C-alpha cells in the first residue's frame, strides 16, 4: 500500500505542477491559503493532502474536483490500485 500511496502522491504532484504553469507557488498558495512549503511538498509528490485541500486546489485552477481527479487517474493508468491482490475479492 505504501508504494501505491507514493505513486498517487507523485502523480497528483505532476498534475498540479503542470496546471500551475504560469503562476508561482507563492500566488497559488496565497489563493487557497496553503503554505508555500506544503504546496512545494505536494508538487514533489511528498505530501498526502486532505480532501478539502484537494477541492480548494481544483477550485484555484477553476476546474471541478472530479476533473482534477480524472487527470490524476489518467497519469496513474487503469491498473492502479491500493489493494495488493484484487483477485481474492472476485468470486
Amino acid at each position: 500500500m505504501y508504494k501505491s500511496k507514493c505513486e498517487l502522491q507523485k502523480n497528483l504532484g505532476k498534475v498540479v505542477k503542470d496546471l500551475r504553469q504560469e503562476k508561482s507557488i507563492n500566488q497559488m498558495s496565497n489563493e487557497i491559503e496553503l503554505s508555500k512549503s506544503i504546496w512545494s511538498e505536494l508538487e514533489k509528490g511528498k505530501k498526502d493532502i486532505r480532501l478539502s485541500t484537494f477541492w480548494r486546489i481544483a477550485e484555484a485552477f477553476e476546474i471541478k474536483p472530479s476533473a482534477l481527479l480524472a487527470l490524476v487517474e489518467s497519469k496513474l493508468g487503469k491498473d492502479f490500485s491500493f489493494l495488493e491482490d484484487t483477485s481474492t475479492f472476485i468470486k
Side-chain angles (χ1 to χ4, degrees):
M1 185 160 92
Y2 178 76
K3 183 180 176 187
S4 296
K5 180 180 174 182
C6 290
E7 188 176 347
L8 175 63
Q9 289 173 200
K10 183 177 92 176
N11 284 284
L12 174 59
K14 286 179 185 177
V15 168
V16 168
K17 189 172 186 175
D18 289 347
L19 290 172
R20 182 178 59 81
Q21 292 177 359
E22 296 182 18
K23 291 186 178 182
S24 70
I25 287 176
N26 287 339
Q27 288 174 301
M28 292 304 296
S29 62
N30 286 336
E31 279 183 30
I32 66 169
E33 298 178 359
L34 186 70
S35 75
K36 292 179 280 188
S37 62
I38 291 176
W39 190 277
S40 178
E41 292 290 303
L42 167 66
E43 286 191 5
K44 292 176 185 173
K46 297 180 179 179
K47 184 71 180 162
D48 190 9
I49 59 172
R50 296 179 184 171
L51 180 59
S52 58
T53 303
F54 184 88
W55 202 284
R56 289 185 354 239
I57 290 167
E59 288 181 341
F61 291 125
E62 298 178 355
I63 60 175
K64 292 192 173 282
S66 57
L68 180 55
L69 183 57
L71 291 169
V72 175
E73 282 180 309
S74 70
K75 290 245 185 233
L76 290 169
K78 65 179 181 170
D79 295 329
F80 176 81
S81 176
F82 273 96
L83 304 176
E84 297 286 326
D85 181 10
T86 57
S87 65
T88 59
F89 298 105
I90 302 170
K91 294 186 179 191

